[in-house]
Amino acid sequence: MTHAGRLAALRAELARRNLDGALVPRADAFLGEYVPPSAERLAWLTGFTGSAGLALVLRDRAVLFVDGRYTTQAAAEVDQALWEFRHLIEAPPASFLRDHAAGLRIGYDPWLHPAATVERLAETGAMLVPLADNPVDAVWRDRPPPPAGPARPHPLVFAGREAQAKRDEAAAMLRGAGQAAVVLADPHSVAWLLNIRGDDLGHTPLALATALLHDDARVDLFLDPARTDAALRAHLGNGVALHRPESLADVLRGLAGKRVRLDPDVTPARFGQLLRETGSEAVAGEDPCRLPRACKNPVEQQGARAAHRRDAVALCRFLAWFAEAAPRGGETEISAAAHLLALRAETPLFVAESFPAISGAGEHGAIIHYRATPATDRPIRPGEAYLIDSGAQYRDGTTDVTRTLWTGPGAPPEELALHYTLVLQGHLALAATRFPEGVAGPHLDALARRPLWSHGLDYDHGTGHGVGSFLSVHEGPAGISRPARPIPLRPGMVLSNEPGFYLPGAYGIRIENLLLVRQAAQLPSQARPFLDFETLTFAPYERQLVVAGMLTAAERTQVDAYHAAVLALVGPSLPPRDAAWLAKACARLA
């Protein structure tokens, strides 16, 4: 069925249900960034394969909302004769509903929308109609089955804290708030709380499950018992009761008359509806696992360091290979990414990529979340920029790193080198920042943008996101961006530092390291505690693109010190030929 046929089939289904339209988000019932093939409804309907977006289908209009990371990608993937495009942030769905859908019956699947989102959309004047089943599923004839792989224990040697201790701590929060239980709709919270992992998603080691944590630290885990074995059940212990997911409403009835917390930002609206239907009082409050999960314990911090150091060896081997292969030609975006993946796969404790590698040559680098496919794969040519954004899941940590490279031979264009150096200056500024406790990510975002702003330039994505510990490569609640929630940064958080610049049709630039928030050394004049960053990522910058004369003395010292650390840490683990390349790549700036 063509995309035109799919849109027509959905409209016919909506008419059958007496609906004027429907919302189709890129989401599953767990509201994660990454979803299994069975939940790729937005991609099936529109052709758009990005990780964030929303479609609004009306009888005579169809609108796709995507953010700045995906505007170029959406235009390339989606039939513009069928779909209008809107910016998800600058022209949000609520504004469109208010202006064009007041009084219309708009269906939505309450499993696929956070409660907070539904509340905002309900204020637009549109008549939001919760649906018992998803209308896309009714017309998606060859929809894949949902994942059904086993869940596994996450050993204490990697987790760092016993699950019982985490449960007791979170339960104490509930008792202090006078709440009987909390809905844990986010599988990341379930995984962290119970020290379990799975393989339901290709790049995030999750078992897709939800749970109820009670104020006495008992847990009701909604996971098909067929997905467990004796080892997992022993690991979970007597304090965790297993239930089939379809028994959720029956279990919730046991909470009738009690106060139950749910986080409206990360919990499907359906949970609130079920609590009301079963006689409980839904109380808005933050998922008690979210912030503790983000603040890595000492074992997880050491695991992050170890994972990044092993990852650095694979990455530097790749960079050495690329420096020889690129000027000759013959490689493509897919072959280069495959080479890096093969090197990572040789690394101890490697499990998978942490996301599909963004391997973009030339103009493809300007597509912020570009993904090479057999249809789009193109040669990496001499004399152009190449952007590789990739990462890995290791049992002890998660990595994410971006480098922008010059293929050579010969010197790069002056404009490209100028833009690269501006991005590097912003990257360096953020990495070197000291800040008092209480400062949040949005307060730091401008530091990475200032060099670009001084030239009238900017980038349309956040500067940094949280990163999990053998969990999602994108983790809340903290982030470094203007729209991020002002969550104060705390020791143990791992965040990315990734300013960029993109010239559509020409090239993209992004430089990304991961940073660990830590207590800063005390200064004599310091009246309050300060924090700073420890850089976890070790890989040289592209010195062919650095205009050394643009750097301040402090920036030059910072680059030289970083390169010296890369060489000392990684060099001894490389084959002689690669080690010789790294020594040149890490030499002091001229």
Side-chain angles (χ1 to χ4, degrees):
M1 187 186 300
T2 66
H3 286 106
R6 295 172 184 181
L7 183 58
L10 178 58
R11 282 184 167 134
E13 178 65 19
L14 298 179
R16 189 184 68 79
R17 300 183 185 211
N18 193 30
L19 295 169
D20 299 304
L23 295 165
V24 183
R26 202 277 185 174
D28 63 2
F30 306 97
L31 302 184
E33 178 183 13
Y34 299 107
V35 302
S38 58
E40 288 281 12
R41 297 177 180 90
L42 186 63
W44 178 85
L45 179 65
T46 68
F48 171 65
T49 61
S51 64
L54 172 76
L56 171 61
V57 177
L58 300 175
R59 291 179 177 178
D60 58 353
R61 301 179 72 174
V63 186
L64 176 64
F65 297 86
V66 298
D67 63 32
R69 298 171 297 170
Y70 293 119
T71 51
T72 303
Q73 179 178 336
E77 292 182 335
V78 178
D79 187 345
Q80 297 180 51
L82 300 173
W83 293 90
E84 305 171 36
F85 299 125
R86 294 289 188 278
H87 195 290
L88 190 61
I89 308 301
E90 297 173 359
S95 297
F96 189 92
L97 285 172
R98 187 175 296 110
D99 294 339
H100 303 286
L104 299 184
R105 288 172 50 82
I106 306 298
Y108 74 97
D109 185 337
W111 285 111
L112 306 186
H113 298 266
T117 298
V118 173
E119 289 177 7
R120 286 194 298 270
L121 296 180
E123 297 172 353
T124 63
M127 297 175 58
L128 295 188
V129 181
L131 304 176
D133 62 296
N134 195 295
V136 173
D137 297 350
V139 297
W140 187 358
R141 303 302 183 192
D142 57 349
R143 182 177 171 226
R152 296 181 296 273
H154 184 51
L156 187 62
V157 67
F158 301 130
R161 288 190 70 201
E162 294 279 5
Q164 184 66 58
K166 298 178 185 180
R167 287 162 44 200
D168 289 341
E169 184 177 275
M173 296 183 198
L174 297 178
R175 292 194 299 272
Q179 296 162 355
V182 60
V183 172
L184 299 179
D186 183 352
H188 299 86
S189 290
V190 177
W192 176 85
L193 182 69
L194 301 180
N195 288 341
I196 61 174
R197 298 294 190 269
D199 56 6
D200 286 354
L201 302 178
H203 306 282
T204 306
L206 286 177
L208 294 175
T210 57
L212 285 173
L213 170 67
H214 297 265
D215 61 0
D216 60 0
R218 291 182 299 110
V219 172
D220 290 305
L221 175 61
F222 297 93
L223 178 72
D224 188 339
R227 302 180 62 187
T228 69
D229 59 15
L232 180 68
R233 291 191 290 272
H235 166 79
L236 293 172
N238 294 331
V240 179
L242 274 173
H243 306 273
R244 294 185 180 277
E246 55 268 26
S247 67
L248 175 64
D250 292 334
V251 175
L252 288 178
R253 287 190 182 92
L255 294 169
K258 298 181 179 179
R259 303 174 77 234
V260 180
R261 181 190 299 195
L262 56 79
D263 189 329
D265 291 322
V266 297
T267 304
R270 182 57 181 149
F271 276 96
Q273 296 169 1
L274 282 171
L275 287 172
R276 290 188 291 272
E277 291 168 7
T278 54
S280 301
E281 180 187 355
V283 181
E286 180 146 288
D287 177 340
C289 301
R290 209 169 178 214
L291 186 57
R293 184 176 85 235
C295 298
K296 312 300 183 286
N297 64 53
V299 170
E300 291 173 321
Q301 292 180 36
Q302 192 54 38
R305 294 185 185 98
H308 277 84
R309 291 173 181 177
R310 293 194 308 275
D311 196 64
V313 175
L315 184 58
C316 288
R317 288 177 64 192
F318 169 80
L319 295 175
W321 166 83
F322 187 86
E324 286 193 4
R328 297 195 304 263
E331 299 297 333
T332 72
E333 294 166 332
I334 289 179
S335 72
H339 187 81
L340 176 54
L341 176 57
L343 293 172
R344 281 193 166 114
E346 298 175 8
T347 305
L349 302 183
F350 173 84
V351 175
E353 289 180 292
S354 54
F355 57 96
I358 299 169
S359 175
E363 72 283 356
H364 285 169
I367 304 173
I368 297 173
H369 272 202
Y370 170 74
R371 184 184 302 181
T373 68
T376 66
D377 186 30
R378 82 162 184 71
I380 301 172
R381 304 184 183 102
E384 66 180 3
Y386 169 68
L387 186 152
I388 178 72
D389 183 349
S390 65
Q393 293 285 6
Y394 299 98
R395 297 289 301 281
D396 53 353
T398 301
T399 71
D400 182 6
V401 53
T402 308
R403 288 296 182 265
T404 303
L405 310 173
W406 172 245
T407 60
E414 291 184 4
E415 181 187 60
L416 172 62
L418 166 68
H419 291 157
Y420 181 92
T421 306
L422 292 172
V423 172
L424 177 62
Q425 287 177 304
H427 174 89
L428 296 172
L430 181 58
T433 297
R434 287 171 50 95
F435 52 96
E437 286 187 351
V439 166
H443 305 144
L444 302 179
D445 181 74
L447 296 173
R449 298 178 189 270
R450 183 182 176 189
L452 285 163
W453 284 354
S454 69
H455 284 67
L457 306 172
D458 200 5
Y459 50 93
D460 197 5
H461 60 75
T463 298
H465 56 82
V467 177
S469 179
F470 191 46
L471 278 172
S472 179
V473 74
H474 293 152
E475 176 180 89
I480 303 175
S481 69
R482 281 168 284 185
R485 293 174 59 198
I487 303 295
L489 301 188
R490 300 190 184 189
M493 288 182 172
V494 176
L495 298 113
S496 66
N497 171 12
E498 50 179 312
F501 176 73
Y502 309 90
L503 188 62
Y507 54 79
I509 299 164
R510 189 160 62 252
I511 304 171
E512 178 186 17
N513 287 345
L514 296 193
L515 306 175
L516 173 65
V517 182
R518 64 186 180 185
Q519 292 286 346
Q522 184 81 17
L523 298 177
S525 60
Q526 194 169 310
R528 58 188 292 192
F530 269 63
L531 305 174
D532 64 7
F533 295 116
E534 173 188 341
T535 296
L536 296 174
T537 306
F538 291 93
Y541 303 124
E542 177 54 279
R543 59 188 306 119
Q544 295 182 86
L545 292 175
V546 177
V547 182
M550 290 175 55
L551 303 182
T552 66
E555 289 168 342
R556 292 168 66 97
T557 298
Q558 188 178 350
V559 171
D560 286 340
Y562 176 73
H563 279 161
V566 171
L567 183 60
L569 185 73
V570 183
S573 300
L574 295 178
R577 188 182 185 91
D578 295 345
W581 172 86
L582 186 64
K584 293 180 181 178
C586 292
R588 294 176 63 86
L589 293 174

